[in-house]
Amino acid sequence: MKTGIIIPCYNEEKRLNVAAFLNFIQKENNYHLCFVNDGSKDNTIDVLKEIQYTNPTKISIIDMKKNSGKAAAVRAGSRYLHSRGDITFIGFIDADLSTDFEDFDGLLQTLKSDSKLSFVFGSRAKETSDAIKKNGIRSLISKLINILVILILGLPIQDTQCGAKVFRADLVPVIFNTNFLSRWLFDVEMFIKMKKHFGKEKVMKKIVEQPLKKWIHMEDSKLGLKDSLEIPYRLISIWFNYNILPLVQSSITEEITESTVEIYGMPSRILAA
């Protein structure tokens, strides 16, 4: 049972910890790394090709020709890994490794331990320890956002936005069948889609929020303070489109158009639009 890990990358040429990724994949035979270059303007794609060259059977690259946001990158990676046919579990982590491989493996082991579970995600809020480091202002904004998220979801989830999640591959048609409305708040949409598909009571038996042992915020995060202040409006827009106008298909306006992609790795079926 192989696990595919998606690593969305945008202008990561100088930030990517190449050694960490190489060391991990060289010793792990049950993992496959899928880097998604999200239309980077620097030489990220060249760095990724150098990484893949060292172990082409265990590393794939999806090169998105246009920057479309993390949502589109994770969606492209999930659909690719699902199409391969040799991946049982799929997850994603941030390129800066703010959540490390040890914590990710912990999420995976929880998912594997219970056949009734479908989705396990890291939490920086639930039973956090001193090892979790967050910027003060961002911590306050996160708390306010989390309150709004809980009201919108109607689910007792404390941290939807942690960049480490893992799920069974058979969830891909449920979560990634259509584009997301938001480039960055797609995590909320993932939970909304699962809730609508399984129902509130059943979905809570399929998901687990697991505290991380370690998480460090990187100061040069792509999501700035201005973007953070726009989040409440974005969340309300998501709520409106998924709940107020659910019967009108055209009401859900997809902000993210399909990007042209090139795949470097094992041949697979073409990603459907």
Side-chain angles (χ1 to χ4, degrees):
M1 296 188 293
K2 287 188 178 181
T3 300
I5 305 180
I6 301 161
I7 306 99
C9 301
Y10 177 65
N11 292 346
E12 300 287 352
E13 175 189 3
K14 297 180 180 180
R15 294 206 317 168
L16 211 61
N17 189 338
V18 175
F21 286 106
L22 290 179
N23 290 336
F24 172 77
I25 201 60
Q26 284 173 0
K27 66 181 181 180
E28 298 290 346
N29 293 321
N30 293 322
Y31 280 94
H32 185 94
L33 297 181
C34 177
F35 292 94
V36 182
N37 179 42
D38 183 22
S40 297
K41 296 178 174 60
D42 62 3
N43 294 319
T44 294
I45 186 61
D46 294 327
V47 175
L48 296 181
K49 287 180 179 179
E50 290 177 5
I51 294 175
Q52 188 199 30
Y53 180 77
T54 66
N55 213 322
T57 62
K58 295 198 287 186
I59 300 174
S60 297
I61 301 171
I62 298 178
D63 185 22
M64 302 178 70
K65 303 303 181 181
K66 176 183 177 183
N67 174 243
S68 301
K70 185 177 179 180
V74 171
R75 180 172 182 256
S78 297
R79 287 154 63 83
Y80 164 69
L81 290 173
H82 180 256
S83 74
R84 287 172 57 100
D86 63 338
I87 303 295
T88 306
F89 305 100
I90 299 173
F92 56 91
I93 57 177
D94 292 329
D96 59 16
L97 292 178
S98 51
T99 299
D100 60 23
F101 292 115
E102 181 180 356
D103 258 327
F104 182 87
D105 187 66
L107 301 179
L108 178 62
Q109 295 311 314
T110 297
L111 181 59
K112 288 182 175 181
S113 68
D114 189 344
S115 60
K116 295 180 181 178
L117 290 179
S118 296
F119 193 99
V120 180
F121 55 106
S123 176
R124 300 157 297 181
K126 191 174 184 179
E127 303 171 15
T128 55
S129 68
D130 293 335
I132 305 294
K133 301 178 182 179
K134 295 184 71 174
N135 174 282
I137 296 177
R138 287 181 177 275
S139 179
L140 177 60
I141 293 176
S142 294
K143 290 179 181 178
L144 295 175
I145 291 172
N146 286 342
I147 292 174
L148 184 56
V149 167
I150 290 174
L151 291 174
I152 289 174
L153 285 180
L155 299 174
I157 296 174
Q158 295 186 46
D159 187 5
T160 60
Q161 300 309 114
C162 177
K165 295 177 172 67
V166 62
F167 47 90
R168 296 186 186 277
D170 58 14
L171 266 186
V172 170
V174 175
I175 301 176
F176 301 100
N177 59 330
T178 58
N179 277 342
F180 293 100
L181 297 172
S182 172
R183 291 167 64 98
W184 301 103
L185 292 168
F186 71 99
D187 306 76
V188 175
E189 295 183 62
M190 292 175 72
F191 290 110
I192 290 176
K193 289 183 177 184
M194 285 190 288
K195 180 182 176 182
K196 285 185 171 294
H197 182 80
F198 296 111
K200 180 177 180 179
E201 183 177 346
K202 189 174 182 180
V203 77
M204 290 308 300
K205 296 178 181 179
K206 287 182 166 291
I207 66 176
V208 167
E209 182 172 10
Q210 181 165 306
L212 296 176
K213 296 178 181 179
K214 180 181 178 181
W215 184 88
I216 301 175
H217 165 68
M218 299 299 181
E219 289 302 324
D220 55 347
S221 172
K222 303 295 190 306
L223 191 64
L225 181 59
K226 181 180 178 181
D227 297 310
S228 298
L229 295 175
E230 291 181 359
I231 288 178
Y233 165 75
R234 300 288 183 183
L235 286 171
I236 292 173
S237 176
I238 289 172
W239 171 80
F240 182 83
N241 279 281
Y242 278 99
N243 295 282
I244 301 302
L245 301 172
L247 300 179
V248 184
Q249 186 175 358
S250 60
S251 67
I252 301 182
T253 304
E254 296 180 346
E255 296 178 358
I256 307 170
T257 57
E258 294 285 351
S259 174
T260 302
V261 303
E262 185 172 358
I263 299 175
Y264 301 91
M266 187 180 295
S268 68
R269 295 192 295 272
I270 297 175
L271 293 174

